Amino acid sequence: MSFLKWLFGKSSTRDGDARPSAEGWAISENGNPTMVDGQIRITVFSQDRGWKFCIAEVDDRSDPYFSDAYFSEVAAKEEALAHLRGEPTVHEPVSASRIEDRRDQWEAHIRARSVLIEEIRKLLSENPELGITALRKPEAKVSSHLKQLKWQIAEYHRAGVSAAMIAQSERQEAILSGLADEIGERIKAKQAQRPARKPPVSDSQLSPDLAGKVDDVIGLLANQDEVDAEKQERLHRNSIRATTDRMLEEGITYGQASNGPDFLNQDESSFRAFMKTADQDLGWQCDTVSDAFRRYLTSGEIPAPHYPMRVAVLLHKEKDFEREKRFLAAWCKHFPSGNGTTYAKLVERAKKTGAIPG
């Protein structure tokens, strides 16, 4: 008799209408709770951050039944017995809870975005004379959220986010688009008031707006004094301690506790989809490098090398070799050691362009 035949209604070797009871559990040689009822063996074991049960025939383990994961050993035992008795399920599997958690996280993200929007609105309304550098930070936040919203709305539907919250996110997209236009106009007006810049190299294909962004990040790096190793270590140690304390106190992830960039707080597939577009966006890469460098100055956390490498690659692609050279020189002023593969490639690239001595 195969197990599947038994499972779907064939006769059992148990006598009469006897049913397995909760008192019959023992511990197997492997240390797992187990129960034998006639020719049927039930085993409960820890897996997938929870507890599962397995049902198999004692003499034939080639066709076992494995359950979903549950939150506790007791829940898995009770579900195993209910399964054998043909009774309704009582405990929610871990997978169902993760779906609910995912929905709750998305809805919390939408609410947090509303708070951010109001903060940016207030900043712009109360500070009509903000300079270009000050405007770049809200510009980067708005741009980042707009990029995420383009794919997140589809995720909201899949995660079961309420219709009201999805409608709110769609309104947020329209508001953010308006803020992006407003900030862009204010930056253009400020740029028009600047003294004439030195013309870019003749074969550069950068738009004036992108050229301005590149020049801003070059200026940020070039005009900032280097942080010595002792200070960097002290800043990083204090930052790690504060982040760890916040994780324990609030029960949140490292990225949330450290106030890391929003785009990093995504699952892997969503992050990869987002980065396919972001990797070709020079303006976004410049904003990301600027934010990471400012974070380094306060936390000692060395910026990831992927984003400055993309800036250099995209500048080369746009044939703006002079800006590529100046950017690499400014970057290597602070991070000249080349520790790590991509860091080393940045240093090597700087040497090849003549940005630093070979």
PDB file of all heavy atoms in Angstrom, residues 301-331:
ATOM      1  N   GLU A 301      31.340  55.115   7.419  1.00  0.00           N
ATOM      2  CA  GLU A 301      31.052  53.972   6.540  1.00  0.00           C
ATOM      3  C   GLU A 301      31.504  54.304   5.116  1.00  0.00           C
ATOM      4  O   GLU A 301      30.947  55.183   4.462  1.00  0.00           O
ATOM      5  CB  GLU A 301      29.554  53.657   6.552  1.00  0.00           C
ATOM      6  CG  GLU A 301      29.196  52.446   5.702  1.00  0.00           C
ATOM      7  CD  GLU A 301      27.719  52.103   5.804  1.00  0.00           C
ATOM      8  OE1 GLU A 301      27.081  52.481   6.808  1.00  0.00           O
ATOM      9  OE2 GLU A 301      27.214  51.486   4.864  1.00  0.00           O
ATOM     10  N   ILE A 302      32.533  53.612   4.642  1.00  0.00           N
ATOM     11  CA  ILE A 302      33.111  53.912   3.330  1.00  0.00           C
ATOM     12  C   ILE A 302      32.088  53.623   2.231  1.00  0.00           C
ATOM     13  O   ILE A 302      31.468  52.550   2.218  1.00  0.00           O
ATOM     14  CB  ILE A 302      34.392  53.085   3.117  1.00  0.00           C
ATOM     15  CG1 ILE A 302      35.446  53.504   4.146  1.00  0.00           C
ATOM     16  CG2 ILE A 302      34.926  53.258   1.699  1.00  0.00           C
ATOM     17  CD1 ILE A 302      36.722  52.702   4.091  1.00  0.00           C
ATOM     18  N   PRO A 303      31.866  54.551   1.309  1.00  0.00           N
ATOM     19  CA  PRO A 303      30.860  54.356   0.257  1.00  0.00           C
ATOM     20  C   PRO A 303      31.160  53.134  -0.605  1.00  0.00           C
ATOM     21  O   PRO A 303      32.323  52.804  -0.869  1.00  0.00           O
ATOM     22  CB  PRO A 303      30.962  55.647  -0.570  1.00  0.00           C
ATOM     23  CG  PRO A 303      31.575  56.649   0.343  1.00  0.00           C
ATOM     24  CD  PRO A 303      32.504  55.874   1.226  1.00  0.00           C
ATOM     25  N   ALA A 304      30.104  52.483  -1.042  1.00  0.00           N
ATOM     26  CA  ALA A 304      30.260  51.343  -1.951  1.00  0.00           C
ATOM     27  C   ALA A 304      30.862  51.828  -3.267  1.00  0.00           C
ATOM     28  O   ALA A 304      30.529  52.916  -3.749  1.00  0.00           O
ATOM     29  CB  ALA A 304      28.911  50.679  -2.201  1.00  0.00           C
ATOM     30  N   PRO A 305      31.755  51.044  -3.898  1.00  0.00           N
ATOM     31  CA  PRO A 305      32.461  51.505  -5.092  1.00  0.00           C
ATOM     32  C   PRO A 305      31.660  51.399  -6.378  1.00  0.00           C
ATOM     33  O   PRO A 305      32.068  51.963  -7.392  1.00  0.00           O
ATOM     34  CB  PRO A 305      33.675  50.574  -5.143  1.00  0.00           C
ATOM     35  CG  PRO A 305      33.166  49.296  -4.544  1.00  0.00           C
ATOM     36  CD  PRO A 305      32.218  49.716  -3.442  1.00  0.00           C
ATOM     37  N   HIS A 306      30.531  50.672  -6.343  1.00  0.00           N
ATOM     38  CA  HIS A 306      29.767  50.460  -7.576  1.00  0.00           C
ATOM     39  C   HIS A 306      29.309  51.789  -8.190  1.00  0.00           C
ATOM     40  O   HIS A 306      29.385  51.982  -9.413  1.00  0.00           O
ATOM     41  CB  HIS A 306      28.548  49.578  -7.286  1.00  0.00           C
ATOM     42  CG  HIS A 306      27.631  49.411  -8.460  1.00  0.00           C
ATOM     43  ND1 HIS A 306      27.865  48.498  -9.476  1.00  0.00           N
ATOM     44  CD2 HIS A 306      26.470  50.053  -8.804  1.00  0.00           C
ATOM     45  CE1 HIS A 306      26.905  48.582 -10.371  1.00  0.00           C
ATOM     46  NE2 HIS A 306      26.041  49.502  -9.983  1.00  0.00           N
ATOM     47  N   TYR A 307      28.841  52.696  -7.344  1.00  0.00           N
ATOM     48  CA  TYR A 307      28.226  53.921  -7.845  1.00  0.00           C
ATOM     49  C   TYR A 307      29.251  54.908  -8.411  1.00  0.00           C
ATOM     50  O   TYR A 307      29.024  55.470  -9.502  1.00  0.00           O
ATOM     51  CB  TYR A 307      27.357  54.536  -6.736  1.00  0.00           C
ATOM     52  CG  TYR A 307      26.425  53.506  -6.139  1.00  0.00           C
ATOM     53  CD1 TYR A 307      26.691  52.932  -4.898  1.00  0.00           C
ATOM     54  CD2 TYR A 307      25.332  53.049  -6.858  1.00  0.00           C
ATOM     55  CE1 TYR A 307      25.871  51.949  -4.362  1.00  0.00           C
ATOM     56  CE2 TYR A 307      24.502  52.048  -6.338  1.00  0.00           C
ATOM     57  CZ  TYR A 307      24.778  51.509  -5.089  1.00  0.00           C
ATOM     58  OH  TYR A 307      23.962  50.530  -4.593  1.00  0.00           O
ATOM     59  N   PRO A 308      30.393  55.157  -7.749  1.00  0.00           N
ATOM     60  CA  PRO A 308      31.399  56.005  -8.407  1.00  0.00           C
ATOM     61  C   PRO A 308      31.932  55.378  -9.695  1.00  0.00           C
ATOM     62  O   PRO A 308      32.255  56.097 -10.652  1.00  0.00           O
ATOM     63  CB  PRO A 308      32.505  56.149  -7.348  1.00  0.00           C
ATOM     64  CG  PRO A 308      32.260  55.069  -6.362  1.00  0.00           C
ATOM     65  CD  PRO A 308      30.790  54.844  -6.356  1.00  0.00           C
ATOM     66  N   MET A 309      32.021  54.043  -9.744  1.00  0.00           N
ATOM     67  CA  MET A 309      32.456  53.405 -10.985  1.00  0.00           C
ATOM     68  C   MET A 309      31.454  53.671 -12.101  1.00  0.00           C
ATOM     69  O   MET A 309      31.842  53.948 -13.250  1.00  0.00           O
ATOM     70  CB  MET A 309      32.620  51.902 -10.775  1.00  0.00           C
ATOM     71  CG  MET A 309      33.049  51.149 -12.039  1.00  0.00           C
ATOM     72  SD  MET A 309      34.655  51.704 -12.699  1.00  0.00           S
ATOM     73  CE  MET A 309      35.773  50.843 -11.594  1.00  0.00           C
ATOM     74  N   ARG A 310      30.157  53.630 -11.770  1.00  0.00           N
ATOM     75  CA  ARG A 310      29.146  53.919 -12.797  1.00  0.00           C
ATOM     76  C   ARG A 310      29.247  55.375 -13.262  1.00  0.00           C
ATOM     77  O   ARG A 310      29.055  55.670 -14.441  1.00  0.00           O
ATOM     78  CB  ARG A 310      27.742  53.644 -12.257  1.00  0.00           C
ATOM     79  CG  ARG A 310      27.419  52.177 -12.022  1.00  0.00           C
ATOM     80  CD  ARG A 310      27.642  51.339 -13.264  1.00  0.00           C
ATOM     81  NE  ARG A 310      26.865  51.810 -14.410  1.00  0.00           N
ATOM     82  CZ  ARG A 310      27.071  51.442 -15.657  1.00  0.00           C
ATOM     83  NH1 ARG A 310      28.068  50.605 -15.949  1.00  0.00           N
ATOM     84  NH2 ARG A 310      26.304  51.897 -16.631  1.00  0.00           N
ATOM     85  N   VAL A 311      29.542  56.296 -12.338  1.00  0.00           N
ATOM     86  CA  VAL A 311      29.719  57.698 -12.737  1.00  0.00           C
ATOM     87  C   VAL A 311      30.858  57.804 -13.747  1.00  0.00           C
ATOM     88  O   VAL A 311      30.719  58.441 -14.802  1.00  0.00           O
ATOM     89  CB  VAL A 311      30.001  58.586 -11.498  1.00  0.00           C
ATOM     90  CG1 VAL A 311      30.396  60.003 -11.942  1.00  0.00           C
ATOM     91  CG2 VAL A 311      28.781  58.647 -10.592  1.00  0.00           C
ATOM     92  N   ALA A 312      31.988  57.182 -13.448  1.00  0.00           N
ATOM     93  CA  ALA A 312      33.147  57.246 -14.355  1.00  0.00           C
ATOM     94  C   ALA A 312      32.820  56.607 -15.700  1.00  0.00           C
ATOM     95  O   ALA A 312      33.143  57.158 -16.769  1.00  0.00           O
ATOM     96  CB  ALA A 312      34.346  56.550 -13.712  1.00  0.00           C
ATOM     97  N   VAL A 313      32.166  55.451 -15.678  1.00  0.00           N
ATOM     98  CA  VAL A 313      31.832  54.747 -16.923  1.00  0.00           C
ATOM     99  C   VAL A 313      30.870  55.571 -17.773  1.00  0.00           C
ATOM    100  O   VAL A 313      31.050  55.693 -18.999  1.00  0.00           O
ATOM    101  CB  VAL A 313      31.222  53.364 -16.606  1.00  0.00           C
ATOM    102  CG1 VAL A 313      30.613  52.745 -17.858  1.00  0.00           C
ATOM    103  CG2 VAL A 313      32.283  52.438 -16.025  1.00  0.00           C
ATOM    104  N   LEU A 314      29.854  56.145 -17.137  1.00  0.00           N
ATOM    105  CA  LEU A 314      28.857  56.924 -17.893  1.00  0.00           C
ATOM    106  C   LEU A 314      29.458  58.218 -18.433  1.00  0.00           C
ATOM    107  O   LEU A 314      29.105  58.657 -19.529  1.00  0.00           O
ATOM    108  CB  LEU A 314      27.645  57.215 -17.002  1.00  0.00           C
ATOM    109  CG  LEU A 314      26.806  55.975 -16.636  1.00  0.00           C
ATOM    110  CD1 LEU A 314      25.733  56.337 -15.613  1.00  0.00           C
ATOM    111  CD2 LEU A 314      26.149  55.370 -17.883  1.00  0.00           C
ATOM    112  N   LEU A 315      30.372  58.834 -17.694  1.00  0.00           N
ATOM    113  CA  LEU A 315      31.052  60.024 -18.211  1.00  0.00           C
ATOM    114  C   LEU A 315      31.891  59.666 -19.436  1.00  0.00           C
ATOM    115  O   LEU A 315      31.927  60.410 -20.430  1.00  0.00           O
ATOM    116  CB  LEU A 315      31.939  60.636 -17.125  1.00  0.00           C
ATOM    117  CG  LEU A 315      31.227  61.435 -16.039  1.00  0.00           C
ATOM    118  CD1 LEU A 315      32.193  61.795 -14.918  1.00  0.00           C
ATOM    119  CD2 LEU A 315      30.590  62.693 -16.617  1.00  0.00           C
ATOM    120  N   HIS A 316      32.570  58.523 -19.366  1.00  0.00           N
ATOM    121  CA  HIS A 316      33.362  58.086 -20.518  1.00  0.00           C
ATOM    122  C   HIS A 316      32.453  57.812 -21.710  1.00  0.00           C
ATOM    123  O   HIS A 316      32.784  58.161 -22.849  1.00  0.00           O
ATOM    124  CB  HIS A 316      34.149  56.824 -20.147  1.00  0.00           C
ATOM    125  CG  HIS A 316      35.260  56.519 -21.090  1.00  0.00           C
ATOM    126  ND1 HIS A 316      36.515  57.072 -20.976  1.00  0.00           N
ATOM    127  CD2 HIS A 316      35.300  55.725 -22.207  1.00  0.00           C
ATOM    128  CE1 HIS A 316      37.282  56.634 -21.957  1.00  0.00           C
ATOM    129  NE2 HIS A 316      36.571  55.811 -22.721  1.00  0.00           N
ATOM    130  N   LYS A 317      31.317  57.216 -21.445  1.00  0.00           N
ATOM    131  CA  LYS A 317      30.358  56.914 -22.504  1.00  0.00           C
ATOM    132  C   LYS A 317      29.860  58.188 -23.172  1.00  0.00           C
ATOM    133  O   LYS A 317      29.611  58.219 -24.379  1.00  0.00           O
ATOM    134  CB  LYS A 317      29.188  56.125 -21.915  1.00  0.00           C
ATOM    135  CG  LYS A 317      28.162  55.645 -22.927  1.00  0.00           C
ATOM    136  CD  LYS A 317      27.096  54.811 -22.235  1.00  0.00           C
ATOM    137  CE  LYS A 317      26.035  54.340 -23.236  1.00  0.00           C
ATOM    138  NZ  LYS A 317      24.984  53.521 -22.558  1.00  0.00           N
ATOM    139  N   GLU A 318      29.718  59.257 -22.373  1.00  0.00           N
ATOM    140  CA  GLU A 318      29.277  60.556 -22.905  1.00  0.00           C
ATOM    141  C   GLU A 318      30.431  61.356 -23.491  1.00  0.00           C
ATOM    142  O   GLU A 318      30.252  62.509 -23.879  1.00  0.00           O
ATOM    143  CB  GLU A 318      28.602  61.367 -21.787  1.00  0.00           C
ATOM    144  CG  GLU A 318      27.316  60.767 -21.243  1.00  0.00           C
ATOM    145  CD  GLU A 318      26.195  60.791 -22.254  1.00  0.00           C
ATOM    146  OE1 GLU A 318      26.267  61.585 -23.220  1.00  0.00           O
ATOM    147  OE2 GLU A 318      25.236  60.011 -22.099  1.00  0.00           O
ATOM    148  N   LYS A 319      31.620  60.747 -23.540  1.00  0.00           N
ATOM    149  CA  LYS A 319      32.816  61.362 -24.113  1.00  0.00           C
ATOM    150  C   LYS A 319      33.269  62.618 -23.358  1.00  0.00           C
ATOM    151  O   LYS A 319      33.930  63.489 -23.924  1.00  0.00           O
ATOM    152  CB  LYS A 319      32.609  61.696 -25.608  1.00  0.00           C
ATOM    153  CG  LYS A 319      32.269  60.471 -26.453  1.00  0.00           C
ATOM    154  CD  LYS A 319      32.220  60.813 -27.920  1.00  0.00           C
ATOM    155  CE  LYS A 319      31.775  59.619 -28.760  1.00  0.00           C
ATOM    156  NZ  LYS A 319      32.650  58.438 -28.586  1.00  0.00           N
ATOM    157  N   ASP A 320      32.875  62.710 -22.081  1.00  0.00           N
ATOM    158  CA  ASP A 320      33.340  63.836 -21.270  1.00  0.00           C
ATOM    159  C   ASP A 320      34.555  63.369 -20.476  1.00  0.00           C
ATOM    160  O   ASP A 320      34.492  63.127 -19.271  1.00  0.00           O
ATOM    161  CB  ASP A 320      32.234  64.328 -20.331  1.00  0.00           C
ATOM    162  CG  ASP A 320      32.477  65.765 -19.889  1.00  0.00           C
ATOM    163  OD1 ASP A 320      33.651  66.166 -19.782  1.00  0.00           O
ATOM    164  OD2 ASP A 320      31.498  66.482 -19.653  1.00  0.00           O
ATOM    165  N   PHE A 321      35.668  63.253 -21.169  1.00  0.00           N
ATOM    166  CA  PHE A 321      36.861  62.673 -20.573  1.00  0.00           C
ATOM    167  C   PHE A 321      37.471  63.564 -19.498  1.00  0.00           C
ATOM    168  O   PHE A 321      38.063  63.076 -18.539  1.00  0.00           O
ATOM    169  CB  PHE A 321      37.891  62.376 -21.669  1.00  0.00           C
ATOM    170  CG  PHE A 321      37.325  61.571 -22.805  1.00  0.00           C
ATOM    171  CD1 PHE A 321      37.321  62.068 -24.107  1.00  0.00           C
ATOM    172  CD2 PHE A 321      36.757  60.327 -22.574  1.00  0.00           C
ATOM    173  CE1 PHE A 321      36.787  61.326 -25.153  1.00  0.00           C
ATOM    174  CE2 PHE A 321      36.218  59.578 -23.608  1.00  0.00           C
ATOM    175  CZ  PHE A 321      36.229  60.079 -24.904  1.00  0.00           C
ATOM    176  N   GLU A 322      37.319  64.886 -19.665  1.00  0.00           N
ATOM    177  CA  GLU A 322      37.882  65.807 -18.684  1.00  0.00           C
ATOM    178  C   GLU A 322      37.154  65.689 -17.345  1.00  0.00           C
ATOM    179  O   GLU A 322      37.782  65.658 -16.278  1.00  0.00           O
ATOM    180  CB  GLU A 322      37.792  67.245 -19.202  1.00  0.00           C
ATOM    181  CG  GLU A 322      38.391  68.293 -18.257  1.00  0.00           C
ATOM    182  CD  GLU A 322      39.872  68.051 -17.974  1.00  0.00           C
ATOM    183  OE1 GLU A 322      40.576  67.514 -18.849  1.00  0.00           O
ATOM    184  OE2 GLU A 322      40.309  68.403 -16.868  1.00  0.00           O
ATOM    185  N   ARG A 323      35.820  65.619 -17.382  1.00  0.00           N
ATOM    186  CA  ARG A 323      35.075  65.459 -16.129  1.00  0.00           C
ATOM    187  C   ARG A 323      35.336  64.087 -15.508  1.00  0.00           C
ATOM    188  O   ARG A 323      35.375  63.961 -14.284  1.00  0.00           O
ATOM    189  CB  ARG A 323      33.579  65.667 -16.365  1.00  0.00           C
ATOM    190  CG  ARG A 323      33.162  67.131 -16.418  1.00  0.00           C
ATOM    191  CD  ARG A 323      31.650  67.294 -16.346  1.00  0.00           C
ATOM    192  NE  ARG A 323      31.285  68.689 -16.252  1.00  0.00           N
ATOM    193  CZ  ARG A 323      31.108  69.501 -17.305  1.00  0.00           C
ATOM    194  NH1 ARG A 323      31.271  69.007 -18.534  1.00  0.00           N
ATOM    195  NH2 ARG A 323      30.788  70.763 -17.135  1.00  0.00           N
ATOM    196  N   GLU A 324      35.469  63.059 -16.332  1.00  0.00           N
ATOM    197  CA  GLU A 324      35.800  61.733 -15.803  1.00  0.00           C
ATOM    198  C   GLU A 324      37.121  61.809 -15.027  1.00  0.00           C
ATOM    199  O   GLU A 324      37.236  61.268 -13.920  1.00  0.00           O
ATOM    200  CB  GLU A 324      35.910  60.713 -16.931  1.00  0.00           C
ATOM    201  CG  GLU A 324      36.284  59.315 -16.445  1.00  0.00           C
ATOM    202  CD  GLU A 324      36.641  58.368 -17.574  1.00  0.00           C
ATOM    203  OE1 GLU A 324      36.664  58.794 -18.751  1.00  0.00           O
ATOM    204  OE2 GLU A 324      36.931  57.181 -17.272  1.00  0.00           O
ATOM    205  N   LYS A 325      38.092  62.468 -15.610  1.00  0.00           N
ATOM    206  CA  LYS A 325      39.405  62.598 -14.969  1.00  0.00           C
ATOM    207  C   LYS A 325      39.306  63.365 -13.652  1.00  0.00           C
ATOM    208  O   LYS A 325      39.872  62.953 -12.628  1.00  0.00           O
ATOM    209  CB  LYS A 325      40.359  63.307 -15.938  1.00  0.00           C
ATOM    210  CG  LYS A 325      41.766  63.512 -15.403  1.00  0.00           C
ATOM    211  CD  LYS A 325      42.630  64.184 -16.468  1.00  0.00           C
ATOM    212  CE  LYS A 325      44.024  64.488 -15.950  1.00  0.00           C
ATOM    213  NZ  LYS A 325      44.855  65.139 -17.002  1.00  0.00           N
ATOM    214  N   ARG A 326      38.569  64.488 -13.650  1.00  0.00           N
ATOM    215  CA  ARG A 326      38.441  65.287 -12.428  1.00  0.00           C
ATOM    216  C   ARG A 326      37.658  64.543 -11.350  1.00  0.00           C
ATOM    217  O   ARG A 326      37.956  64.640 -10.159  1.00  0.00           O
ATOM    218  CB  ARG A 326      37.782  66.634 -12.738  1.00  0.00           C
ATOM    219  CG  ARG A 326      38.676  67.577 -13.532  1.00  0.00           C
ATOM    220  CD  ARG A 326      38.161  68.995 -13.518  1.00  0.00           C
ATOM    221  NE  ARG A 326      36.970  69.165 -14.335  1.00  0.00           N
ATOM    222  CZ  ARG A 326      35.781  69.522 -13.879  1.00  0.00           C
ATOM    223  NH1 ARG A 326      35.617  69.734 -12.575  1.00  0.00           N
ATOM    224  NH2 ARG A 326      34.752  69.675 -14.688  1.00  0.00           N
ATOM    225  N   PHE A 327      36.641  63.792 -11.765  1.00  0.00           N
ATOM    226  CA  PHE A 327      35.862  63.020 -10.794  1.00  0.00           C
ATOM    227  C   PHE A 327      36.724  61.947 -10.136  1.00  0.00           C
ATOM    228  O   PHE A 327      36.712  61.769  -8.913  1.00  0.00           O
ATOM    229  CB  PHE A 327      34.655  62.375 -11.470  1.00  0.00           C
ATOM    230  CG  PHE A 327      33.934  61.395 -10.588  1.00  0.00           C
ATOM    231  CD1 PHE A 327      33.083  61.832  -9.587  1.00  0.00           C
ATOM    232  CD2 PHE A 327      34.142  60.029 -10.716  1.00  0.00           C
ATOM    233  CE1 PHE A 327      32.436  60.929  -8.740  1.00  0.00           C
ATOM    234  CE2 PHE A 327      33.510  59.121  -9.886  1.00  0.00           C
ATOM    235  CZ  PHE A 327      32.654  59.571  -8.888  1.00  0.00           C
ATOM    236  N   LEU A 328      37.486  61.220 -10.952  1.00  0.00           N
ATOM    237  CA  LEU A 328      38.339  60.161 -10.402  1.00  0.00           C
ATOM    238  C   LEU A 328      39.411  60.730  -9.480  1.00  0.00           C
ATOM    239  O   LEU A 328      39.742  60.128  -8.452  1.00  0.00           O
ATOM    240  CB  LEU A 328      38.974  59.374 -11.544  1.00  0.00           C
ATOM    241  CG  LEU A 328      38.018  58.468 -12.328  1.00  0.00           C
ATOM    242  CD1 LEU A 328      38.687  57.955 -13.598  1.00  0.00           C
ATOM    243  CD2 LEU A 328      37.541  57.303 -11.461  1.00  0.00           C
ATOM    244  N   ALA A 329      39.953  61.895  -9.838  1.00  0.00           N
ATOM    245  CA  ALA A 329      40.954  62.527  -8.971  1.00  0.00           C
ATOM    246  C   ALA A 329      40.335  62.899  -7.627  1.00  0.00           C
ATOM    247  O   ALA A 329      40.944  62.687  -6.562  1.00  0.00           O
ATOM    248  CB  ALA A 329      41.528  63.765  -9.651  1.00  0.00           C
ATOM    249  N   ALA A 330      39.107  63.436  -7.658  1.00  0.00           N
ATOM    250  CA  ALA A 330      38.436  63.839  -6.415  1.00  0.00           C
ATOM    251  C   ALA A 330      38.085  62.616  -5.568  1.00  0.00           C
ATOM    252  O   ALA A 330      38.232  62.633  -4.339  1.00  0.00           O
ATOM    253  CB  ALA A 330      37.176  64.633  -6.748  1.00  0.00           C
ATOM    254  N   TRP A 331      37.649  61.528  -6.220  1.00  0.00           N
ATOM    255  CA  TRP A 331      37.316  60.296  -5.489  1.00  0.00           C
ATOM    256  C   TRP A 331      38.564  59.707  -4.829  1.00  0.00           C
ATOM    257  O   TRP A 331      38.555  59.357  -3.652  1.00  0.00           O
ATOM    258  CB  TRP A 331      36.678  59.286  -6.437  1.00  0.00           C
ATOM    259  CG  TRP A 331      36.533  57.912  -5.838  1.00  0.00           C
ATOM    260  CD1 TRP A 331      37.403  56.865  -5.959  1.00  0.00           C
ATOM    261  CD2 TRP A 331      35.483  57.452  -4.989  1.00  0.00           C
ATOM    262  NE1 TRP A 331      36.954  55.774  -5.243  1.00  0.00           N
ATOM    263  CE2 TRP A 331      35.775  56.106  -4.634  1.00  0.00           C
ATOM    264  CE3 TRP A 331      34.322  58.036  -4.493  1.00  0.00           C
ATOM    265  CZ2 TRP A 331      34.955  55.353  -3.816  1.00  0.00           C
ATOM    266  CZ3 TRP A 331      33.494  57.272  -3.671  1.00  0.00           C
ATOM    267  CH2 TRP A 331      33.807  55.956  -3.346  1.00  0.00           C
TER     268      TRP A 331
END
